[in-house]
Every structure is written in C-alpha cells, then in structure tokens.
mmCIF file of all heavy atoms in Angstrom:
data_model
loop_
_atom_site.group_PDB
_atom_site.id
_atom_site.type_symbol
_atom_site.label_atom_id
_atom_site.label_comp_id
_atom_site.label_asym_id
_atom_site.label_seq_id
_atom_site.Cartn_x
_atom_site.Cartn_y
_atom_site.Cartn_z
ATOM 1 N N ALA A 78 2.160 19.678 -13.416
ATOM 2 C CA ALA A 78 2.642 19.591 -14.800
ATOM 3 C C ALA A 78 3.673 18.496 -14.962
ATOM 4 O O ALA A 78 3.797 17.887 -16.011
ATOM 5 C CB ALA A 78 3.221 20.948 -15.222
ATOM 6 N N ALA A 79 4.471 18.227 -13.894
ATOM 7 C CA ALA A 79 5.536 17.239 -14.010
ATOM 8 C C ALA A 79 5.021 15.812 -13.924
ATOM 9 O O ALA A 79 5.764 14.873 -14.136
ATOM 10 C CB ALA A 79 6.576 17.468 -12.900
ATOM 11 N N LEU A 80 3.770 15.648 -13.606
ATOM 12 C CA LEU A 80 3.218 14.310 -13.431
ATOM 13 C C LEU A 80 2.495 13.900 -14.696
ATOM 14 O O LEU A 80 1.456 14.455 -15.045
ATOM 15 C CB LEU A 80 2.257 14.308 -12.234
ATOM 16 C CG LEU A 80 1.831 12.935 -11.712
ATOM 17 C CD1 LEU A 80 3.033 12.200 -11.151
ATOM 18 C CD2 LEU A 80 0.772 13.093 -10.647
ATOM 19 N N ALA A 81 3.099 12.928 -15.404
ATOM 20 C CA ALA A 81 2.553 12.539 -16.697
ATOM 21 C C ALA A 81 1.381 11.571 -16.564
ATOM 22 O O ALA A 81 0.554 11.471 -17.455
ATOM 23 C CB ALA A 81 3.652 11.899 -17.548
ATOM 24 N N GLU A 82 1.332 10.806 -15.448
ATOM 25 C CA GLU A 82 0.289 9.798 -15.297
ATOM 26 C C GLU A 82 -1.085 10.442 -15.128
ATOM 27 O O GLU A 82 -1.195 11.520 -14.535
ATOM 28 C CB GLU A 82 0.598 8.916 -14.082
ATOM 29 C CG GLU A 82 1.643 7.846 -14.363
ATOM 30 C CD GLU A 82 3.023 8.439 -14.550
ATOM 31 O OE1 GLU A 82 3.219 9.620 -14.217
ATOM 32 O OE2 GLU A 82 3.893 7.733 -15.057
ATOM 33 N N PRO A 83 -2.111 9.789 -15.605
ATOM 34 C CA PRO A 83 -3.465 10.334 -15.421
ATOM 35 C C PRO A 83 -3.885 10.266 -13.955
ATOM 36 O O PRO A 83 -3.331 9.515 -13.173
ATOM 37 C CB PRO A 83 -4.327 9.407 -16.294
ATOM 38 C CG PRO A 83 -3.560 8.128 -16.357
ATOM 39 C CD PRO A 83 -2.113 8.516 -16.349
ATOM 40 N N GLN A 84 -4.874 11.073 -13.606
ATOM 41 C CA GLN A 84 -5.395 11.074 -12.243
ATOM 42 C C GLN A 84 -6.630 10.144 -12.187
ATOM 43 O O GLN A 84 -7.417 10.121 -13.134
ATOM 44 C CB GLN A 84 -5.803 12.498 -11.850
ATOM 45 C CG GLN A 84 -4.756 13.549 -12.136
ATOM 46 C CD GLN A 84 -3.507 13.400 -11.293
ATOM 47 O OE1 GLN A 84 -3.584 12.882 -10.197
ATOM 48 N NE2 GLN A 84 -2.377 13.819 -11.796
ATOM 49 N N PRO A 85 -6.855 9.431 -11.104
ATOM 50 C CA PRO A 85 -5.951 9.282 -9.974
ATOM 51 C C PRO A 85 -4.808 8.318 -10.287
ATOM 52 O O PRO A 85 -4.876 7.581 -11.274
ATOM 53 C CB PRO A 85 -6.857 8.705 -8.891
ATOM 54 C CG PRO A 85 -7.852 7.899 -9.668
ATOM 55 C CD PRO A 85 -8.100 8.680 -10.940
ATOM 56 N N LEU A 86 -3.795 8.331 -9.469
ATOM 57 C CA LEU A 86 -2.623 7.477 -9.643
ATOM 58 C C LEU A 86 -2.755 6.248 -8.761
ATOM 59 O O LEU A 86 -3.119 6.353 -7.592
ATOM 60 C CB LEU A 86 -1.359 8.259 -9.280
ATOM 61 C CG LEU A 86 -0.038 7.489 -9.364
ATOM 62 C CD1 LEU A 86 0.260 7.122 -10.815
ATOM 63 C CD2 LEU A 86 1.095 8.328 -8.797
ATOM 64 N N THR A 87 -2.502 5.074 -9.329
ATOM 65 C CA THR A 87 -2.540 3.824 -8.572
ATOM 66 C C THR A 87 -1.168 3.186 -8.582
ATOM 67 O O THR A 87 -0.505 3.138 -9.614
ATOM 68 C CB THR A 87 -3.569 2.850 -9.171
ATOM 69 O OG1 THR A 87 -4.867 3.463 -9.136
ATOM 70 C CG2 THR A 87 -3.622 1.558 -8.374
ATOM 71 N N ALA A 88 -0.724 2.701 -7.415
ATOM 72 C CA ALA A 88 0.606 2.097 -7.302
ATOM 73 C C ALA A 88 0.538 0.911 -6.352
ATOM 74 O O ALA A 88 -0.269 0.897 -5.418
ATOM 75 C CB ALA A 88 1.613 3.133 -6.790
ATOM 76 N N PRO A 89 1.387 -0.104 -6.563
ATOM 77 C CA PRO A 89 1.455 -1.201 -5.591
ATOM 78 C C PRO A 89 2.049 -0.697 -4.282
ATOM 79 O O PRO A 89 2.863 0.227 -4.277
ATOM 80 C CB PRO A 89 2.382 -2.221 -6.263
ATOM 81 C CG PRO A 89 3.197 -1.415 -7.227
ATOM 82 C CD PRO A 89 2.319 -0.294 -7.692
ATOM 83 N N ALA A 90 1.638 -1.293 -3.185
ATOM 84 C CA ALA A 90 2.131 -0.893 -1.863
ATOM 85 C C ALA A 90 2.904 -2.055 -1.246
ATOM 86 O O ALA A 90 2.339 -3.115 -0.967
ATOM 87 C CB ALA A 90 0.967 -0.482 -0.961
ATOM 88 N N ALA A 91 4.198 -1.856 -1.051
ATOM 89 C CA ALA A 91 5.043 -2.901 -0.466
ATOM 90 C C ALA A 91 4.764 -3.017 1.034
ATOM 91 O O ALA A 91 4.535 -2.025 1.720
ATOM 92 C CB ALA A 91 6.510 -2.562 -0.700
ATOM 93 N N ASP A 92 4.792 -4.248 1.520
ATOM 94 C CA ASP A 92 4.543 -4.509 2.948
ATOM 95 C C ASP A 92 5.645 -5.423 3.476
ATOM 96 O O ASP A 92 5.405 -6.586 3.819
ATOM 97 C CB ASP A 92 3.154 -5.147 3.121
ATOM 98 C CG ASP A 92 2.741 -5.274 4.590
ATOM 99 O OD1 ASP A 92 3.477 -4.777 5.459
ATOM 100 O OD2 ASP A 92 1.689 -5.880 4.854
ATOM 101 N N PRO A 93 6.891 -4.922 3.560
ATOM 102 C CA PRO A 93 8.022 -5.793 3.897
ATOM 103 C C PRO A 93 7.963 -6.359 5.307
ATOM 104 O O PRO A 93 8.592 -7.382 5.589
ATOM 105 C CB PRO A 93 9.239 -4.872 3.726
ATOM 106 C CG PRO A 93 8.704 -3.489 3.916
ATOM 107 C CD PRO A 93 7.320 -3.527 3.341
ATOM 108 N N TYR A 94 7.244 -5.719 6.220
ATOM 109 C CA TYR A 94 7.186 -6.196 7.601
ATOM 110 C C TYR A 94 5.912 -6.989 7.900
ATOM 111 O O TYR A 94 5.660 -7.355 9.042
ATOM 112 C CB TYR A 94 7.291 -5.010 8.566
ATOM 113 C CG TYR A 94 8.519 -4.176 8.326
ATOM 114 C CD1 TYR A 94 8.407 -2.887 7.790
ATOM 115 C CD2 TYR A 94 9.794 -4.664 8.586
ATOM 116 C CE1 TYR A 94 9.534 -2.114 7.548
ATOM 117 C CE2 TYR A 94 10.925 -3.900 8.344
ATOM 118 C CZ TYR A 94 10.783 -2.624 7.823
ATOM 119 O OH TYR A 94 11.901 -1.869 7.573
ATOM 120 N N GLY A 95 5.115 -7.260 6.887
ATOM 121 C CA GLY A 95 3.898 -8.050 7.095
ATOM 122 C C GLY A 95 2.893 -7.373 7.995
ATOM 123 O O GLY A 95 2.194 -8.032 8.769
ATOM 124 N N VAL A 96 2.751 -6.052 7.884
ATOM 125 C CA VAL A 96 1.832 -5.304 8.739
ATOM 126 C C VAL A 96 0.389 -5.737 8.510
ATOM 127 O O VAL A 96 -0.368 -5.966 9.467
ATOM 128 C CB VAL A 96 1.994 -3.785 8.491
ATOM 129 C CG1 VAL A 96 0.873 -2.998 9.164
ATOM 130 C CG2 VAL A 96 3.352 -3.316 8.997
ATOM 131 N N LEU A 97 -0.014 -5.860 7.251
ATOM 132 C CA LEU A 97 -1.413 -6.205 6.969
ATOM 133 C C LEU A 97 -1.749 -7.642 7.374
ATOM 134 O O LEU A 97 -2.781 -7.869 8.023
ATOM 135 C CB LEU A 97 -1.731 -5.959 5.496
ATOM 136 C CG LEU A 97 -1.632 -4.497 5.028
ATOM 137 C CD1 LEU A 97 -2.054 -4.371 3.571
ATOM 138 C CD2 LEU A 97 -2.474 -3.578 5.902
ATOM 139 N N PRO A 98 -0.929 -8.651 7.041
ATOM 140 C CA PRO A 98 -1.253 -10.008 7.508
ATOM 141 C C PRO A 98 -1.283 -10.108 9.028
ATOM 142 O O PRO A 98 -2.144 -10.800 9.591
ATOM 143 C CB PRO A 98 -0.124 -10.865 6.924
ATOM 144 C CG PRO A 98 0.369 -10.103 5.749
ATOM 145 C CD PRO A 98 0.218 -8.662 6.102
ATOM 146 N N ARG A 99 -0.369 -9.431 9.710
ATOM 147 C CA ARG A 99 -0.349 -9.503 11.180
ATOM 148 C C ARG A 99 -1.617 -8.892 11.775
ATOM 149 O O ARG A 99 -2.241 -9.474 12.662
ATOM 150 C CB ARG A 99 0.889 -8.792 11.729
ATOM 151 C CG ARG A 99 0.896 -8.675 13.245
ATOM 152 C CD ARG A 99 2.194 -8.113 13.761
ATOM 153 N NE ARG A 99 2.584 -6.881 13.119
ATOM 154 C CZ ARG A 99 2.052 -5.692 13.380
ATOM 155 N NH1 ARG A 99 1.057 -5.587 14.247
ATOM 156 N NH2 ARG A 99 2.491 -4.606 12.766
ATOM 157 N N ASN A 100 -1.987 -7.725 11.298
ATOM 158 C CA ASN A 100 -3.194 -7.091 11.818
ATOM 159 C C ASN A 100 -4.441 -7.892 11.480
ATOM 160 O O ASN A 100 -5.364 -8.004 12.302
ATOM 161 C CB ASN A 100 -3.313 -5.664 11.285
ATOM 162 C CG ASN A 100 -2.484 -4.673 12.076
ATOM 163 O OD1 ASN A 100 -2.921 -4.133 13.085
ATOM 164 N ND2 ASN A 100 -1.257 -4.434 11.622
ATOM 165 N N ASN A 101 -4.493 -8.452 10.269
ATOM 166 C CA ASN A 101 -5.627 -9.292 9.895
ATOM 167 C C ASN A 101 -5.746 -10.483 10.843
ATOM 168 O O ASN A 101 -6.846 -10.812 11.339
ATOM 169 C CB ASN A 101 -5.471 -9.766 8.453
ATOM 170 C CG ASN A 101 -6.491 -10.831 8.075
ATOM 171 O OD1 ASN A 101 -6.289 -12.012 8.325
ATOM 172 N ND2 ASN A 101 -7.582 -10.414 7.453
ATOM 173 N N ALA A 102 -4.612 -11.153 11.112
ATOM 174 C CA ALA A 102 -4.637 -12.328 11.984
ATOM 175 C C ALA A 102 -5.087 -11.967 13.392
ATOM 176 O O ALA A 102 -5.906 -12.664 14.003
ATOM 177 C CB ALA A 102 -3.251 -12.968 12.018
ATOM 178 N N GLU A 103 -4.569 -10.859 13.920
ATOM 179 C CA GLU A 103 -4.925 -10.470 15.276
ATOM 180 C C GLU A 103 -6.388 -10.032 15.373
ATOM 181 O O GLU A 103 -7.086 -10.366 16.343
ATOM 182 C CB GLU A 103 -3.995 -9.357 15.751
ATOM 183 C CG GLU A 103 -2.555 -9.827 15.941
ATOM 184 C CD GLU A 103 -1.631 -8.702 16.362
ATOM 185 O OE1 GLU A 103 -2.092 -7.533 16.441
ATOM 186 O OE2 GLU A 103 -0.446 -8.985 16.607
ATOM 187 N N MET A 104 -6.870 -9.309 14.364
ATOM 188 C CA MET A 104 -8.255 -8.836 14.398
ATOM 189 C C MET A 104 -9.242 -9.986 14.202
ATOM 190 O O MET A 104 -10.313 -10.019 14.832
ATOM 191 C CB MET A 104 -8.447 -7.745 13.347
ATOM 192 C CG MET A 104 -7.653 -6.477 13.655
ATOM 193 S SD MET A 104 -7.635 -5.271 12.299
ATOM 194 C CE MET A 104 -9.305 -4.607 12.425
#
C-alpha cells in the first residue's frame, strides 16, 4: 500500500566501482 509507483518498478543502477565494465572487459 505504501508503494505508489506502478508495478513493476524500474530504477537506474549506480556502478561506482565499474563492476560491469571490468567484467565485460575481462570476459
């Protein structure tokens, strides 16, 4: 009830340590 946003909820995901670019480069 406390969640006003419709389902499903979408949000940006912060990547301050560059986890995704590092893994992409290594893979």
Side-chain angles (χ1 to χ4, degrees):
L80 193 65
E82 280 70 14
Q84 311 293 332
L86 178 66
T87 300
D92 188 6
Y94 305 110
V96 169
L97 296 183
R99 173 174 52 77
N100 278 274
N101 170 275
E103 292 178 356
M104 294 170 75

